[in-house]
Structure formats: structure tokens, C-alpha cells
Amino acid sequence: MANNLRFQVVEEAFKKRAIDVKPPKERPSEFFGKYVFDQKKMYKYLPKDIYDKMIDVMDNGARLDRGIADAVAAGMKKWAMEMGVTHYTHWFQPLTEGTAEKHDAFVEHDGKGGMIEKFSGKLLVQQEPDASSFPNGGIRNTFEARGYSAWDPTSPVFIIDDTLCIPTIFIAYTGEALDYKAPLLRALHAVDKAATEVCSLFYDDVTKVTVNLGWEQEYFLVDEGLYSARPDLLMTGRTLMGHESAKNQQMDDHYFGTIPDRVQAFMKDLEIQALELAIPCKTRHNEVAPNQFELAPIFEECNLAVDHNMLLMSLMKKVARNHGFRVLLHEKPFDGINGSGKHNNWSLSADNGVLLHAPGKTPEENLRFVTFIVETLMAVYKHNGLLKASIMSATNAHRLGGNEAPPAIISSFLGTQLTELLNHIETSETNELFNLKGKQGMEIDIPQIPDLIVDNTDRNRTSPFAFTGNRFEFRAPGSSVNCASAMIALNAAMAESLASFKERVDKRSEELRVKSEEFATANDSKKRITHAILDVLREDIKTCKPIRFDGNGYSEEWVKEAARRGLDVEKSCPVIFEHYLDDSSIKMFESTKVMNHKELEARNEVKWEMYVKTVQIEARVLGDLAMNHIIPVATHYQSQLIKNVQGMKSVFDIQKAERLSARNMKLIEEIAERTERIEQLVEELTDARRVANRIENIHERAIQYHDTVCQKMEDIRYQIDKLEMIVEDGLWTLPKYRELLFIR
């Protein structure tokens, strides 16, 4: 029955056709943000003075006056009810890599036995979720439940179905952050402050610096029926077993290939709903692996971009089910082919319109460009272990280091031109300014084809932190995570680096003024500052040189070279997490006021706990599948082979029977040996879990899970994958890779 069910599920999956998705009659620009309380709607539904105060909060970082909350809530409620909304929720991002929400209706007693729709400023600004029921790293005990969610007015309120969703931070009763948004907002404020001060060395008109983020969301699609027939996918998000398909991605025919009709319909539906929520979807395409795809938006302000990514991941799952799919956001759902990442394209821009990581047209502009490049490299070099910890997880560990994913060693690719420029500044004995080559033309020897404009850097697919012309692409974050984790660490490190740079430039400038007659007068201040900047840059270029690497990140030689350079080459996920509690990390987070020591300790406790639970669930699922699916199927096939051998002996003479049944005898023996080995390994796996679970310290328990449980799981998988190639296809109960990976 089970084997017939598998074939039935596969057959039904291949019969499915695309759902007809009718696009809205309006152009995307006309329905963009339909379900978002944006500035245009604020202007319509709020009194003018209230609107002006809200714009000051959103654009200039002014503190929110709680006195205007009732007026804002009234305007929001009026708009929301016109849109058919009946409930509201505080939408926040706990340390679960997902989002959380509790819905309440616009309902209050009217004092006359009836009810009225009511939504006050108090309910808009603050609510009280249960802080002990979310991961908190020991900050809250079970009996200490109080925590607060507080409105983030810089991220617009939006509507999902019949619910008004209010983006909020989530903090403990004692004030510590229990989410990703609160420390991210602190990190963005720290970068704004430090970068604005550095900009004052180059410009007189910069009052604010914004962090830009453009994420690229990779994902897999699997037919819902096939997904449901794989308990490992259902329970863990990845296949814990499965022999690779004869054809997967080796022909490179899926990458940028024609999008299948069913997938195109899903993408169209997803984009329409995303655009209605003001998520600026820009790019869609087939990725490298079969059934793998990507969606990328236009760059946005970092906090808003993070919110939009979290919202999109939730939306993807909902829309996919309407099209008979399940979205897999796991970093490595299938062994042997590309995993899924979420490349974070990161840059800084000033409010005078200058992109700070982009080259300029004058020597002074290029000095600013080099300054922000070098100080970014300083941040990445000094905290390379922390940045790796910020993107590491039990799931992402499977992806890093192969199939085009960056290695688990943080380095930065700059390209030939920028590398040569930094080398020139480092060795130059003068403080002369410099020019940069812009994009060059490339003539193609085909008359009909126009000249190409070539960027001043190539791309390095194995670099975790690559410069791509006017931004850095942090390629290491995994597809399932909250981008905020990496952005908190990167922006805090950048704030520290820029603050240190400004302090040292000011000190060097004063030294030049005092010691050198050339810079003694006020009229020479600009020249003096330029010399001071170049002096400090020269020091920093030498200091951060070990982080620069333009070669093959997959080579064994690079691992040895990286260790020699002092970069972190650790591969154990629980050990990598320890970087959050390095002295340099604690000092950096506290000096920038992003997180305190208690918050860092709590987050590490959560990371270790989540690692243990992830591996624990996988181990239990694998053990169950091995004993209750794989071994029964294998032994059933073995019984058929034994009957065949016995039948041979009843038909043929002994010698001929032995010769004709030799292959089956070999299979019988191999099945016996592999099933015996699987049973032994499952028992060892269970024992390893028991030993690890008795360890009280969560850090040590996580290390034990990594060192023992994970290896046993790999050993079990190896044996099962070998059996899959032996057992008759009609008996195998689980959909195979060749069925899971190709949508028709």
C-alpha cells in the first residue's frame, strides 16, 4: 500500500497544471502599498500637525510624543476599517528566526449593553506578550512572564487579511531586548552617528547616514503531495536521506532557464501580493539547483528591508500552498546540490545624495570612497569571527563551503583595481590624492552588438564579503534566517570602526598642527585633515590586509593561509557562537550601545539551545525513519530475494542455481549487513543523545551534539542512501530526489 501511495503522489504531482493568476488591472505602481499605512495615507487620515510630527519621527529620528498616539491610532483605525479590518496585532521578531503576533479585535463595551469598535493610542504604542514563552536565554524565568512590545513608527503598519499589523520591538520587563529589531535599530543609530561624523571630514551638508540593504532570497519549491510523503521534510525542512539523482544541476541548464508554468504562476501571485504590501520586488529567476529559485527586491533602508524580508518569507509559504507547493527555506534541503542563501547587499548613503561606498569623480570624493572601504575592511577584519557567528546555525552549517556557497572563513574580495589602489596608498611616501578609473568600454567583434560597459571589479563566487562596485555583498547569511542577525553585527562593527577612525584622524590632525609649520594656520586645515586621513588610512590598510583575499575560497591552501593570517577557521557551529562573548565583541557592542553583556550572554544561550533542539529533532526523525520505514522495506525486498533464490534451487540443479542466484545472494548479504549496521548506528545515535542530554551546561551540550550526534546521523544516512540504490524502486516508500527535484 505504501509503495502504491508513493507512485500515486508522484503521478498526481506531475499532472498538476498552473493556476491562472489574473493580474490587477492597474499598473504595479498604482497598487503598490495598497495594504500599507504609508505617508500618502497618513497625510489623508491624520491631522496636519500630527502628520508633521510623524514625518519628523520617521525621517529625522525625533522621539515619538505619546501625546499624539490617540490621533494616530484613530486615523489608522479609520483607514483599516475601510479596508475591512476587524483585528490588530503587534508584529514582532523574537529569537526564533520567525515572527510573532497575537490578534485582538477592535471591540470594547459601549456601556449600554452593546459594543463599539475602539483602538486607542495606548494599544497602538504598547502591548504585553508573554516574555517567558519565547527564547530569552535565561533573562526571564517561567514565572516571570511580563514583557513588552513597543511600536516602531519607522516601519509602516500594514494589513494581512483582516488584521492590522503593527511592527514592534520586543523587550523584557527588565529592559533587555528579546528580539532582533531592538538591537538592529540601536546598531543603525550607532552607524548613523559615527558615519555622519566621518562625513564631516569631507562634506559640510551631511546630517544623516542611512544603511541600505538589498537581500536576495533563494528558496526551493516542492510539490505539496511529495512534501507530505517525506516525514523528514515535514519535520525538519530538509531531506535527512536520499541518494542524489542521476541528473541534478551538473548540466547547468536550470540556472536562468525558462521558469516552469506552475512556478511562474506562483511567482506572479506572490509578487502581486508583495507589491500590495510595499515590498519592492524586482528580480525573479531560476537558481542553479533544480527546483531552486530567487526573488530580490530594490534596495531599501535596512530596518524596513529586514521587516519586508520577514513578511515575504511568511507570505511565500501561504501563496505556495495555494499553488500546490511547499516552500523550502532550509539552507540545504537536498544533499549534493546548491543550498540556499540570502545574500545581503549592504551600503551606506548620506542625506546629501552620496553613496558612501561608491567611487567619486574628484580626488576628494575618491578619498571619501577609500575611507569607507578601508574602515569597512577594518570592521570585518577585527570582528571576522563574530560576523561568522552572526550567520552560523545548525542549518546554514550544511550549506557553507560548497556548491557555490561561500566558505566558513570570512574574507573580502575587492577586485584588481581597488586592490592595486590600496597597495599604492600603503606603500606611497607622499600624501597626494588620486583618481580612479571609471567603467570602461569593451568592444565586441560583432557589428550589430553595441560596446559593453565593464565594471571595475569582477565577481568572486566564493567570497563571503565581496565588493561589487558600490556596495558589499555579504553572501554568507542563510536563506531561513532573519537578516537582522548579520546586520546587527556588521553595523555595530562598522560604527566602532568609523568612530575609531574619526578619533585618530582628529588626533593626528592636531599633532600636525602643533608639530609642523606647514599646517600651523587655520587656512591649512583642509590640507592638514587630508594628510591626517591618509596617514590613518595607511595604518589601517596595513592592519586589515589579512582580510583581503581574491582567490579560491574552497582550496585547502586557503584554509591554511587564513589560519596563518589569524582569521577564524573554526568549523564547529557551537564553538563559533562563542565569538559573541569575545572581549572584543563585548567591548564593541557595549561601546556602541547596541547590546549589553547580559543580552549577549542570553543570545548565546538561545543560539546553543536552538542548535541542540534542531539537531535533536533531526536525530529523532532519522531514527524513526530508519527503523520504521527503511529497514522494513529493505528486509521485505530481502525476503523476496530469498524466495527467488529458493525458487532457483527448486527449478535448476545446484550448480546452475548458485550461478544464476549469485547476484541476488550478494544483494541479500549486503542488505543484511547494511540493515544490521543501521540498527547498530541508530542505537548508538540514541545513546549519544542520552549522554548529551545529561550535560547540564547548554554550551557543552551543544558541542557534544555537534561532535557525536551529527556524525552518527551522517553515518546512518550513508547506509540508507546505499540501500536506496539496491532496493526495488517499487518498494521504496519515500519520494526520491529525481521525483522531488523536477517540477513538470
Side-chain angles (χ1 to χ4, degrees), residues 93 184 188 209-217 278-280 282 295-310 342-349 355 357 391 465 470-477 481-488 490-491:
Q93 301 166 27
L184 176 63
L188 298 178
V209 170
T210 300
V211 178
N212 307 305
L213 172 62
W215 40 263
E216 303 170 21
Q217 180 68 60
I279 304 172
K282 176 74 172 178
L295 182 152
I298 302 170
F299 282 63
E300 296 182 283
E301 184 276 326
C302 185
N303 176 47
L304 181 59
V306 169
D307 283 1
H308 279 167
N309 182 243
M310 298 304 293
K342 181 151 46 195
H343 303 174
N344 283 201
N345 294 278
W346 170 88
S347 64
L348 304 179
S349 59
L355 191 60
H357 283 106
I391 58 87
F465 197 83
N470 59 7
R471 63 191 183 275
F472 282 92
E473 184 179 15
F474 194 9
R475 302 183 67 246
V481 301
N482 190 325
C483 297
S485 179
M487 289 295 100
I488 291 166
L490 177 58
N491 287 301

Side-chain angles (χ1 to χ4, degrees), residues 726-742:
I726 296 172
V727 173
E728 180 195 339
D729 184 62
L731 295 178
W732 199 257
T733 59
L734 304 176
K736 297 184 176 183
Y737 272 25
R738 68 169 184 262
E739 297 156 351
L740 291 165
L741 283 172
F742 296 94

Side-chain angles (χ1 to χ4, degrees), residues 52-96:
D52 290 340
K53 290 181 180 179
M54 282 298 301
I55 295 301
D56 193 30
V57 171
M58 296 168 63
D59 291 350
N60 304 319
R63 183 172 292 277
L64 177 68
D65 179 4
R66 289 185 68 127
I68 71 171
D70 280 335
V72 175
M76 281 184 184
K77 188 192 76 168
K78 183 178 180 182
W79 166 71
M81 292 185 66
E82 288 176 3
M83 299 293 291
V85 168
T86 57
H87 289 68
Y88 65 92
T89 183
H90 274 202
W91 183 82
F92 57 98
Q93 301 166 27
L95 302 177
T96 59

Side-chain angles (χ1 to χ4, degrees), residues 91-101 134-135 170 178-181 306-307 309-311 313-314 317 329 342 480-483 610:
W91 183 82
F92 57 98
Q93 301 166 27
L95 302 177
T96 59
E97 305 301 335
T99 58
E101 54 197 65
F134 290 101
F170 179 42
L178 297 175
D179 69 342
Y180 283 110
K181 181 182 277 284
V306 169
D307 283 1
N309 182 243
M310 298 304 293
L311 178 56
M313 289 195 292
S314 177
K317 297 174 184 177
L329 293 175
K342 181 151 46 195
S480 69
V481 301
N482 190 325
C483 297
M610 294 296 285

Side-chain angles (χ1 to χ4, degrees), residues 637-740:
Y637 180 53
Q638 184 184 48
S639 298
Q640 290 184 351
L641 293 174
I642 291 171
K643 289 180 180 179
N644 178 269
V645 170
Q646 291 171 341
M648 289 280 193
K649 291 179 180 179
S650 67
V651 173
F652 302 107
D653 61 66
I654 296 297
Q655 287 184 336
K656 190 170 184 179
E658 288 180 354
R659 178 169 59 83
L660 293 175
S661 62
R663 177 181 177 275
N664 284 354
M665 285 297 297
K666 185 178 179 181
L667 290 177
I668 291 167
E669 184 177 355
E670 183 175 354
I671 291 172
E673 290 174 350
R674 294 198 183 280
T675 54
E676 180 184 30
R677 181 60 179 148
I678 290 172
E679 288 180 334
Q680 179 185 350
L681 286 169
V682 169
E683 185 175 344
E684 291 175 4
L685 177 67
T686 304
D687 290 341
R689 281 178 27 230
R690 287 172 180 159
V691 170
N693 290 339
R694 286 195 289 267
I695 299 174
E696 186 172 345
N697 182 283
I698 189 63
H699 178 202
E700 295 175 5
R701 192 188 313 157
I703 291 174
Q704 182 74 5
Y705 260 88
H706 175 274
D707 293 348
T708 61
V709 175
C710 288
Q711 185 56 55
K712 296 295 181 186
M713 291 173 63
E714 287 300 312
D715 294 341
I716 293 171
R717 175 176 191 144
Y718 175 81
Q719 298 295 336
I720 292 175
D721 289 357
K722 289 295 184 182
L723 281 177
E724 183 182 326
M725 300 302 290
I726 296 172
V727 173
E728 180 195 339
D729 184 62
L731 295 178
W732 199 257
T733 59
L734 304 176
K736 297 184 176 183
Y737 272 25
R738 68 169 184 262
E739 297 156 351
L740 291 165

Side-chain angles (χ1 to χ4, degrees), residues 377 407 409-415 419 460 462-466 544-555 557-559 561-562 565 567:
L377 295 176
I409 301 171
I410 301 297
S411 64
S412 185
F413 167 83
L414 298 180
T419 296
N460 187 318
T462 67
S463 178
F465 197 83
C544 68
K545 200 168 186 177
I547 203 67
R548 289 156 46 191
F549 178 66
D550 290 0
N552 180 10
Y554 291 161
S555 68
E557 291 78 13
W558 168 234
V559 177
E561 172 63 17
R565 294 185 185 190
L567 304 182

Side-chain angles (χ1 to χ4, degrees), residues 86 141 146 164 213 272 364 642 703:
T86 57
N141 293 307
R146 198 181 297 275
L164 184 70
L213 172 62
I272 291 169
E364 291 77 15
I642 291 171
I703 291 174

